Each structure stands twice: as structure tokens, then as C-alpha cells.
Amino acid sequence: MTINVQKTVDAVARGRAHRARRRRTVIIVMAILIVVIFAISLMVGQSFYTPAEVVGVMAGNDVPGATFTVGRLRLPRAVLAVLVGLCFGLGGVTFQTMLRNPLASPDIIGISSGASAAAAFAIITLGLGATGVSVFAIVVGLAVAVLVYVLSYRGGVAGTRLILIGIGIAAMLDSVTAYILSQAADWDLQEAMRWLTGSLNGSSWSQVIPVLAALGILAPVLLGQARNLSMTQLGDDTAAALGVRVNRTRLIIIVAAVGLIAFATAAAGPIAFVAFLSGPIAARIVGPGGSLLVPSALVGALLVLVADFCGQYALGTRYPVGVVTGVLGAPYLIYLIIRTNRAGGSL
């Protein structure tokens, strides 16, 4: 009997060690891929610059041609792509984990729609500049998240109820956005559509800094709540029995995740399906066990970098990054709904 118990303990230990090695390997490989794609995006374009020239620009040296093209155009764009990808990936998987449903991403439950409607209103009706649009989008995105949470709260937050209410609010907000666009002048319509599509065109350091600050403040909050977040998957009663203050934890997690999504959306627009795809992709390549926060953040950054690069150079004409991610994400959403339906489940 003692021998059998020891064998079981050894098998469990080996399984945990294997999963930990796999997790570390995946994280390292994705980090290397991000660095490689980041470097390629700085070198490749209408003009090609060597790695030495790119490094010279990043070191602050004056390199003819490259100083402007790399330092002022490509570098802030690539940095913003990484940052918003990290924010979308981290925020999206947080909602999916907390609500135990892969459909519970900001794309689906109305947060991105709220920020989009706010941005369209700010651009077309209020005539605000880039900073004003960003602030307005952040505030309204947070307000929509609070509204969805309050409407779905009934002695606790059920994932299905929150998702359905979020889908309904998203539909209403999308209608508001469509009405605002129908009243827009041509010059305002072009700016609004560029923002609503999700684009990194015209990226600047003034857009990078707020997203970097939000990530630096809110990402540690979510990572610090990783254990409690995992416990909430067991259900409120079980999590509470294990010492988790469920309502407090959920409030902290929601505020931090929505903050990341709102700042990323304000900087680059609602880049479609990055928050939705990052968690499931990370879960597939990392495997069971352990938090998906870091892997999903890295997947999000890699998705945005690759999609932006493909949108610029790989498709024969230039497309905003949101168009490319939308093409990737829509079929997966349909597949996920069909799979859930065939399994006899619900949202």
C-alpha cells in the first residue's frame, strides 16, 4: 500500500515538473518570437535597414534616413503593437478565466463597443483631439464594464448572465455607433473609421506612454491575483472556503482588466479578437495547469505584431491591423459556438 502511494506521489510530481518545463519553454519561445518579429518590423519596409543601423538608431545615434524612418515611424509603432497586445491578451484571458467561458472577452461583452461608441461620439459630435478621444473612450469603457457588472449581479455574478447582458449592451452600443457614423461629415468619418477598425497607423510616443503606464501599474495587480483568479474557477463557495474573498477579488480583477483593455483601445482602437483569441491559443500550447496570464499576454503581443506586419507588407495592399485580426478571429468564434452547441452546452 505504501509503495502504491509513493508511486502515485512520484507520478504527480513528474507530471507537475513536465507541465512546468513545458510552460517555461513556451514562454521563452514566444518571447524570442516577439523579439524576432519586433526586429524584423524595424528593419523591413519601403526601405530596408540593417540590424547595425537599427541598433544605432535605438542607441541614439544619427543614422541618415533611418533616424526618422525607424526612430519616428517604425519604433513607436512596434512598441505600441507589443504593449496593446500584452494588454488585450492579459485583459481578455482574465475575463475568460474568471467567468469560466471562452466567450467572455471584452470583444463580446460590450467593453470594446462602449469605447468605440465613445470614440465615435468624441470625434464626430464633440470634435475632440486625439488626447480627448482617448480619455473619453477610457472613461466610457470603464462605465460600460460597471454597467454590465451591475446588471448581471444577482447574489453573485454568473458567467452566462454577464455574457448575455454584455452581448445585448454591445448590440445597442454598436447601433449607437452606426447612427453617429451616419451623421458624420466625410473628413470626420475617415478619422472615426480608422480608429474603429483598430489601427497602428500614425503611432507616436504620446500614445505609447499612457499604455506603458497602465500596463506597469495594472499588470502586477492581475499577476498578484493569479492564484485567487484560479480559485474562482472552482465556484464562489469553494473559493470562499479556500480563503478567497470572492467579491473583493472579482472587483479588483475586473477594474484592472478593464483598465488594460480601455487604455489599449484608446491608443489603437478596438483591435478585433486579440483579447478573444489569446487565452484559447495560450491554453492550447501551454497545456493544463498553471495560470494563463503571462502566456496569453505574450500571445496577444505576438498576434498584434504579426497581424500588423502582414497587414502592411504581406497582402499586396496595406490593411489596418484590426482587419487582419478580424479575419483570423471571426472563423474561430463561429467554430467555438458550433462546438459548444454540439457538446450540448450553453454560453
Side-chain angles (χ1 to χ4, degrees):
M1 184 67 177
T2 303
I3 295 175
N4 291 335
V5 170
Q6 186 60 46
K7 287 181 178 179
T8 302
V9 171
D10 291 342
V12 170
R14 286 195 299 270
R16 288 178 176 174
H18 173 74
R19 290 193 295 270
R21 285 195 301 270
R22 177 176 174 177
R23 177 186 176 83
R24 286 194 298 269
T25 301
V26 168
I27 289 175
I28 291 171
V29 170
M30 286 195 295
I32 292 172
L33 287 175
I34 289 171
V35 172
V36 170
I37 301 300
F38 184 89
I40 291 173
S41 68
L42 297 182
M43 293 186 291
V44 176
Q46 295 296 329
S47 302
F48 177 82
Y49 296 101
T50 65
E53 290 174 315
V54 170
V55 171
V57 172
M58 296 179 70
N61 300 328
D62 186 13
V63 182
T67 297
F68 176 78
T69 304
V70 175
R72 296 286 297 276
L73 299 179
R74 296 181 188 174
L75 185 57
R77 183 184 187 121
V79 172
L80 188 62
V82 172
L83 293 178
V84 299
L86 291 172
C87 289
F88 282 129
L90 193 55
V93 77
T94 298
F95 277 99
Q96 291 167 333
T97 302
M98 180 180 66
L99 298 174
R100 292 167 285 172
N101 195 312
L103 290 176
S105 81
D107 308 87
I108 309 298
I109 61 176
I111 297 170
S112 296
S113 296
S116 299
F121 182 76
I123 293 169
I124 294 170
T125 304
L126 302 181
L128 299 180
T131 302
V133 171
S134 297
V135 172
F136 198 59
I138 291 169
V139 171
V140 174
L142 291 169
V144 170
V146 171
L147 178 62
V148 172
Y149 182 83
V150 170
L151 291 178
S152 61
Y153 189 90
R154 191 177 302 167
V157 176
T160 301
R161 187 162 61 240
L162 186 144
I163 292 169
L164 292 176
I165 289 173
I167 289 173
I169 290 178
M172 291 189 290
L173 290 169
D174 289 342
S175 298
V176 171
T177 303
Y179 174 77
I180 293 172
L181 293 177
S182 71
Q183 306 300 309
D186 290 342
W187 52 88
D188 288 334
L189 182 61
Q190 293 177 4
E191 174 63 20
M193 288 306 299
R194 184 197 69 80
W195 195 95
L196 292 171
T197 302
S199 174
L200 295 169
N201 295 338
S203 300
S204 65
W205 293 114
S206 63
Q207 295 170 290
V208 168
I209 293 172
V211 183
L212 180 60
L215 190 65
I217 294 171
L218 298 176
V221 173
L222 284 179
L223 295 176
Q225 294 290 327
R227 179 184 175 278
N228 291 342
L229 177 61
S230 298
M231 292 297 181
T232 60
Q233 292 185 286
L234 302 174
D236 289 0
D237 293 339
T238 303
L242 293 171
V244 178
R245 299 172 63 181
V246 176
N247 290 332
R248 176 178 176 273
T249 297
R250 185 172 283 131
L251 179 61
I252 292 173
I253 288 170
I254 288 175
V255 169
V258 171
L260 288 174
I261 296 296
F263 273 90
T265 303
I271 301 177
F273 293 118
V274 176
F276 175 63
L277 289 172
S278 298
I281 292 174
R284 180 64 61 89
I285 60 178
V286 171
S291 171
L292 291 175
L293 294 181
V294 173
S296 297
L298 294 176
V299 170
L302 191 59
L303 277 175
V304 176
L305 269 176
V306 172
D308 186 52
F309 186 81
C310 291
Q312 290 186 83
Y313 306 116
L315 301 175
T317 187
R318 295 198 171 191
Y319 293 101
V321 62
V323 172
V324 180
T325 58
V327 170
L328 294 173
Y332 181 78
L333 175 60
I334 295 172
Y335 160 76
L336 184 62
I337 293 174
I338 293 174
R339 189 184 70 177
T340 303
N341 184 59
R342 286 179 175 175
S346 63
L347 294 178

